[in-house]
Amino acid sequence: MTGYLGSYATLGLLLLASVLFFVTAFSANRVLRPARPADPPGKRASYECGLDPVGGDWAQMQIRYYVYAYLYVLFAVEAVFLFPWAVVFDRPGFGLVTVAEMGIFVAVLALGILYAWRRNILRWT
């Protein structure tokens, strides 16, 4: 299939094959499934450690969980930026400017962790 419309023909065949696969899969599911699925007593009841659930469904969450999650994501993403820099740093043409830029980046990172430490955010109470 060459020419201007060749790529469209390939796309059309791919879409047709995917639709056929979808219809075949769902038809096979309808044919092979049990006619009367079992529904034993208690199947749809909520399960929590083998005990019946008692009380309301509202519970207050501590903000420290979110702070730890936020700090983890923040420092994990910033740490990911260090790996490409370490790979590119060895190439010629990256000298003192690259070291200064990464120094500023790590300094901002250090200021963030110092701020969290000084505010006792990292202390688990």
Side-chain angles (χ1 to χ4, degrees):
M1 293 186 193
T2 59
Y4 180 72
L5 296 177
S7 58
Y8 288 111
T10 305
L11 179 64
L13 288 175
L14 182 63
L15 287 174
L16 180 65
S18 63
V19 167
L20 285 175
F21 180 76
F22 179 80
V23 169
T24 304
F26 274 87
S27 299
N29 182 26
R30 183 171 289 266
V31 169
L32 297 175
R33 73 179 180 189
R36 296 171 56 108
D39 197 11
K43 181 176 181 179
R44 300 192 192 279
S46 58
Y47 177 77
E48 187 174 333
C49 302
L51 303 174
D52 292 331
V54 177
D57 58 350
W58 185 84
Q60 184 176 1
M61 292 291 294
Q62 296 293 330
I63 190 67
R64 70 175 69 111
Y65 298 123
Y66 298 108
V67 171
Y68 271 91
Y70 178 73
L71 287 174
Y72 172 76
V73 169
L74 179 72
F75 289 114
V77 168
E78 288 182 354
V80 167
F81 286 123
L82 292 174
F83 293 113
W85 175 80
V87 171
V88 172
F89 179 70
D90 192 26
R91 295 183 184 163
F94 296 95
L96 190 58
V97 175
T98 308
V99 173
E101 288 176 354
M102 190 48 64
I104 292 170
F105 180 76
V106 171
V108 169
L109 186 67
L111 281 174
I113 195 77
L114 181 66
Y115 174 79
W117 189 8
R118 297 281 291 165
R119 297 282 302 212
N120 288 330
I121 293 173
L122 300 177
R123 183 170 302 178
W124 194 266
T125 55

